[in-house]
Amino acid sequence: MSDISNFSGKLYWSKRYQEDRTGWDIGVPSTPLKTYIDQLEDKNLNILIPGAGNSYEAEYLFHQGFKHIHVLDIAKEPLDAFQKRVPDFPSEHMIQGDFFKHEGIYDLILEQTFFCSFPPLPETRKQYALKMYELLQQHGKFIGVWFDFPLTGDMEKRPFGGSKEEYLGYFEPFFNIKIFEKCYNSIPPRMDNELFGVFEKRLTTKGLSYK
């Protein structure tokens, strides 16, 4: 199996931030995720945001009083920018590293433009689903938005899309599907092109490990 880190390399992403080529960055928390966060009551949830970038969701969570937020990105630049923007955020919860090699156990993982950032090979998408499963505690959830438009075959031009049916093929072996539907509250440039999902970790997998 090829090294997943080749698809999410530090040098590649650092250069994108240095050159300000961050078209995915909307400058505020994603509306579907903000709406979900607003109904959470337990401020002690252990939360991971992988491929976090400038992580406006982490900033919002922090200001809402959540105490255990972990921000993970392979590039140093967005983490430095986040620390300047939110100086009181605990530095030990800012992690520069490869999601696919990360270790930890979380109650909740938030997905926002991370899945769409690495080349859309079935191998990498299967490994993503498995890693999400491994990082969650029993009954843990991962929540996010996924782009709902066809793949083009171009392995360089991000964001990479897909279909609800394809995504379910990766996620159903590991998660109970609580919600997976078209976003009603996407920002205008993404309207009708996003799916919102709430996935709960299965106690047992459906016979697939992807290893």
Side-chain angles (χ1 to χ4, degrees):
M1 182 173 292
S2 58
D3 186 353
I4 294 294
S5 63
N6 291 337
F7 303 125
S8 51
K10 179 172 63 176
L11 294 178
Y12 173 86
W13 289 109
S14 288
K15 187 175 180 182
R16 292 283 300 244
Y17 283 101
Q18 291 164 10
E19 296 175 353
D20 198 27
R21 293 190 294 126
T22 55
W24 64 86
D25 189 324
I26 61 176
V28 294
S30 169
T31 308
L33 290 182
K34 180 179 179 296
T35 301
Y36 180 82
I37 291 168
D38 285 343
Q39 55 82 48
L40 293 174
E41 297 180 354
D42 185 357
K43 302 298 175 82
N44 289 306
L45 289 170
N46 201 29
I47 301 171
L48 174 68
I49 305 179
N54 286 311
S55 198
Y56 304 103
E57 290 77 20
E59 181 178 5
Y60 184 72
L61 283 161
F62 185 68
H63 290 314
Q64 296 303 307
F66 288 84
K67 304 180 187 305
H68 306 290
I69 312 151
H70 299 79
V71 176
L72 170 68
D73 203 279
I74 200 164
K76 185 173 185 291
E77 288 78 3
L79 297 177
D80 289 344
F82 179 82
Q83 190 75 79
K84 290 179 182 177
R85 212 171 66 240
V86 193
D88 294 333
F89 190 88
S91 59
E92 65 271 20
H93 288 180
M94 302 187 65
I95 308 159
Q96 183 184 357
D98 185 337
F99 165 76
F100 294 98
K101 298 176 181 177
H102 181 64
E103 296 182 1
I105 295 294
Y106 300 93
D107 302 305
L108 177 66
I109 302 176
L110 297 182
E111 157 67 48
Q112 161 67 356
T113 69
F114 174 52
F115 181 86
C116 71
S117 69
F118 49 82
L121 302 172
E123 178 182 283
T124 61
R125 291 186 162 186
K126 289 174 182 178
Q127 287 298 311
Y128 168 97
L130 174 60
K131 190 64 179 178
M132 286 290 185
Y133 177 85
E134 292 175 342
L135 288 172
L136 286 168
Q137 69 158 353
Q138 287 191 355
H139 303 295
K141 294 179 181 178
F142 91 103
I143 317 298
V145 290
W146 286 263
F147 282 119
D148 184 24
F149 50 73
L151 290 169
T152 65
D154 186 335
M155 291 293 164
E156 290 297 327
K157 188 175 181 181
R158 295 162 170 84
F160 300 112
S163 68
K164 180 177 180 179
E165 292 72 22
E166 179 197 356
Y167 300 150
L168 287 175
Y170 301 129
F171 300 153
E172 279 188 317
F174 302 108
F175 301 96
N176 295 314
I177 315 303
K178 312 302 284 186
I179 299 171
F180 198 39
E181 58 192 29
K182 281 275 192 182
C183 287
Y184 70 88
N185 56 354
S186 297
I187 62 172
R190 297 180 182 176
M191 188 60 68
D192 296 323
N193 286 321
E194 286 185 317
L195 296 161
F196 174 74
V198 176
F199 303 94
E200 183 179 72
K201 181 174 180 174
R202 288 182 179 274
L203 295 182
T204 57
T205 63
K206 295 174 69 175
L208 291 176
S209 69
Y210 293 142
K211 286 185 175 178

